[in-house]
Amino acid sequence: MPEKIDIYSGATLDSKIDLSIQRGSKNSEVKMEKYTVEYDKTEVVLDLVHRVQAEFAPDLAVRWNCKAGKCGSCSAEVNGSPKLMCMTKMSDYTNAKSMEIRPMRTFPLIKDLVTDVSWNFEKNKQIKPFKPPTGVKELTMYQQHVDRIQEYRKCIECFLCQDTCHVLRTHEEFNQYAGPRFMIRLATLEFHPEDQEDRIGEIKNTFGVNMCNITKCCQEVCPEEIHITDNGIIPLKERVADNFYDPLMMAVSWIKRLL
Ligand code: SF4
Ligand code: SF4
Ligand code: FES
């Protein structure tokens, strides 16, 4: 039998799998639809979703952009695990006869695999930006500061950590906790050696750092391998504890506010 080749990618379609994909929108019934698709073991899950669109369901809604793990658009839950579909290799599912693909559960459904993540962008707007020192012409950054902030800045805003965090996902504390992504953004600013802004009260009260109970589930799913809890949230918690509960630091911080 001649080999079947995908006309767009050139992939050799020599394997078959039953994909169950969540279909439906906020205004319609939501159910799992099964599609049997051929694939090549070198492909990624997003390739198969595109094949479903091309061959069976042109109206299937899926968000993606770069197909290179850099835009953070194609976040979904593959067999219950939060993943970037474009970075999830079919070679990791050898011998699987079926696979389930659902949208991120933590955010409101728009349609099929697309969710409304706008809450994150609204939360981001509440964070005070970098404030440079006044009267200084050149800022000095040492390598250890660059290394620290470089890790935080690898974030691609895929929101898989937000999807995973049980404070948001299970307890729906959207008013109490900004979530791991924004703890990382706050750490980027707070641990910048030249930043002069005072956000410590907001980190505790508005963004709710104390809601995190350090389960570390968020850092396990981060595609950029950012040590969200170890290198971001725990140091922020320590800074909050120093400022609010250490008498000496409380006095220093009170004097600083007066100056
Ligand atoms: S470590 Fe904190 S932010 Fe991360 S998943 Fe657990 S509770 Fe959420
Ligand atoms: S911290 Fe990691 S998991 Fe969270 S949004 Fe950024 S890249 Fe995604
Ligand atoms: S399409 Fe950009 S990260 Fe997957």
Side-chain angles (χ1 to χ4, degrees):
M1 210 169 84
E3 277 181 344
K4 188 167 176 190
I5 308 283
D6 183 285
I7 55 166
Y8 299 109
S9 66
T12 306
L13 306 178
D14 55 4
S15 305
K16 242 182 204 181
I17 193 164
D18 289 337
L19 286 191
S20 286
I21 301 182
Q22 183 176 309
R23 301 293 316 268
S25 71
K26 56 184 177 183
N27 301 320
S28 70
E29 189 194 352
V30 171
K31 58 183 180 185
M32 300 303 286
E33 290 279 358
K34 193 172 100 177
Y35 306 94
T36 303
V37 283
E38 291 166 298
Y39 72 98
D40 182 314
K41 291 188 188 71
T42 61
E43 290 184 304
V44 293
V45 170
L46 187 60
D47 289 318
L48 276 65
V49 171
H50 285 160
R51 192 157 297 125
V52 169
Q53 268 185 329
E55 295 182 5
F56 306 103
D59 62 336
L60 171 67
V62 55
R63 188 187 279 131
W64 68 284
N65 199 332
C66 68
K67 210 169 171 254
K70 286 296 159 222
C71 72
S73 306
C74 66
S75 301
E77 298 187 7
V78 177
N79 289 348
S81 300
K83 302 251 184 219
L84 292 179
M85 288 188 284
C86 73
M87 299 305 284
T88 305
K89 297 175 191 153
M90 290 309 295
S91 56
D92 292 342
Y93 296 86
T94 329
N95 303 327
K97 297 275 176 277
S98 62
M99 176 181 278
E100 211 176 73
I101 310 174
R102 295 174 187 264
M104 288 193 284
R105 196 184 93 184
T106 300
F107 303 109
L109 179 65
I110 296 178
K111 184 172 185 267
D112 301 335
L113 298 176
V114 178
T115 50
D116 178 0
V117 292
S118 56
W119 174 82
N120 293 285
F121 300 115
E122 293 307 315
K123 198 48 74 180
N124 196 35
K125 283 188 209 160
Q126 295 173 11
I127 297 177
K128 288 179 192 156
F130 176 78
K131 182 175 169 187
T134 46
V136 177
K137 288 208 181 89
E138 278 188 31
L139 302 182
T140 306
M141 285 283 280
Y142 294 100
Q143 191 58 45
Q144 68 266 32
H145 295 135
V146 174
D147 292 344
R148 183 174 209 186
I149 290 170
Q150 193 76 17
E151 181 188 8
Y152 306 144
R153 291 187 68 97
K154 287 194 301 178
C155 176
I156 56 170
E157 297 209 310
C158 64
F159 305 130
L160 289 174
C161 56
Q162 305 284 83
D163 184 45
T164 304
C165 176
H166 64 101
V167 181
L168 303 175
R169 184 183 180 99
T170 311
H171 303 291
E172 301 185 5
E173 297 283 8
F174 292 95
N175 291 327
Q176 304 293 321
Y177 187 43
R181 161 39 190 155
F182 296 106
M183 292 300 123
I184 285 300
R185 169 135 164 74
L186 287 161
T188 313
L189 295 159
E190 277 301 297
F191 298 119
H192 193 295
E194 300 286 5
D195 177 62
Q196 305 299 308
E197 190 56 84
D198 179 6
R199 303 176 193 82
I200 207 72
E202 286 150 21
I203 291 172
K204 177 173 176 282
N205 299 319
T206 312
F207 303 117
V209 70
N210 292 340
M211 298 291 285
C212 164
N213 50 8
I214 320 184
T215 55
K216 304 195 184 187
C217 317
C218 50
Q219 69 184 28
E220 280 169 23
V221 301
C222 177
E224 288 295 316
E225 299 184 352
I226 300 170
H227 294 88
I228 302 172
T229 326
D230 295 337
N231 294 348
I233 299 177
I234 292 173
L236 282 179
K237 279 176 176 284
E238 287 168 351
R239 187 163 279 199
V240 166
D242 285 349
N243 270 266
F244 284 91
Y245 309 111
D246 178 323
L248 183 63
M249 291 300 289
M250 281 165 72
V252 171
S253 139
W254 185 72
I255 292 165
K256 268 194 189 163
R257 279 189 203 114
L258 289 181
L259 295 176

